[in-house]
Amino acid sequence: MIQKEYVMQMARYNAWQNNQLMPLVHQMSEADLLADRGAFFGSLFSTLNHILWGDTLWMSRWCSDVLLPSVPSSQHATFTPNIDAWGAERIRLDGRIRNWAGTVSDVELCDDLEWTSQMLGKTITQPLGLCVVHMFNHQTHHRGQISQMFSAAGLEPPVSDLVFMPDDA
């Protein structure tokens, strides 16, 4: 389905996108970060937490050194307590995603991944490659919502076009 080169490119893209978000969210007031903006999860901060929670969950399924999220799915939007904690965890996990992307093999991406979904209460088996595509697609989907929330707040959203990612990102 996919190859290692795709995974490495998307890991770079994920880190580039999050690195562009950092200065924007750190300049916002707590009230602006927590304001309900009508998105799936309400606020910018809740959406940022949701993405981080999801990335942590997925990475824990294929990396033994990444622990399951410390909060259940019902608390995904409050995964980290503040923007500084979010930023530190985001940087750490983005580095882990990039390191993993550099070690995964094309053969592994064709293997099946089996996990027990707490939300569905059943065991699921899917190709690892499909799950990896889902993780990156999930990030991109919700970062699109973040861009819209930035625009609505009068902030210029960062460039998100993959084709404009700098070589050094």
Side-chain angles (χ1 to χ4, degrees):
M1 176 177 196
I2 61 171
Q3 295 180 323
K4 177 181 182 151
E5 288 79 16
Y6 169 84
V7 178
M8 292 175 62
Q9 181 83 338
M10 293 309 294
R12 277 186 55 233
Y13 178 72
N14 169 65
W16 175 56
Q17 289 298 286
N18 290 327
N19 288 337
Q20 290 186 99
L21 291 175
M22 294 282 176
L24 292 172
V25 298
H26 281 94
Q27 76 183 18
M28 296 178 78
S29 70
E30 185 175 345
D32 284 339
L33 285 167
L34 298 175
D36 188 337
R37 300 190 184 276
F40 285 0
F41 309 111
S43 72
L44 276 161
F45 187 58
S46 293
T47 304
L48 291 167
N49 264 325
H50 171 77
I51 299 168
L52 179 61
W53 185 91
D55 289 352
T56 302
L57 179 66
W58 281 110
M59 289 296 292
S60 74
R61 290 176 176 158
W62 52 74
C63 293
S64 61
D65 64 328
V66 177
L67 301 176
L68 281 167
S70 58
V71 301
S73 61
S74 61
Q75 296 174 17
H76 64 94
T78 58
F79 185 41
T80 61
N82 57 55
I83 201 62
D84 291 333
W86 171 84
E89 187 59 22
R90 184 75 263 178
I91 290 169
R92 186 197 67 73
L93 188 60
D94 288 351
R96 184 62 186 101
I97 292 170
R98 288 185 79 164
N99 287 340
W100 171 77
T103 64
V104 71
S105 71
D106 291 343
V107 171
E108 287 174 281
L109 292 167
C110 294
D111 287 344
D112 282 341
L113 176 69
E114 182 177 286
W115 74 96
T116 301
S117 169
Q118 300 303 312
M119 292 174 66
L120 299 177
K122 66 179 186 176
T123 299
I124 299 172
T125 303
Q126 291 286 340
L128 175 61
L130 178 65
C131 296
V132 172
V133 168
H134 171 76
M135 180 183 78
F136 290 127
N137 188 59
H138 179 261
Q139 297 165 347
T140 301
H141 166 71
H142 289 301
R143 277 195 302 263
Q145 294 172 331
I146 289 169
S147 289
Q148 179 56 39
M149 288 186 270
F150 277 141
S151 293
L155 295 170
E156 179 88 20
V159 174
S160 61
D161 296 300
L162 179 61
V163 297
F164 298 130
M165 179 172 57
D167 290 338
D168 62 350

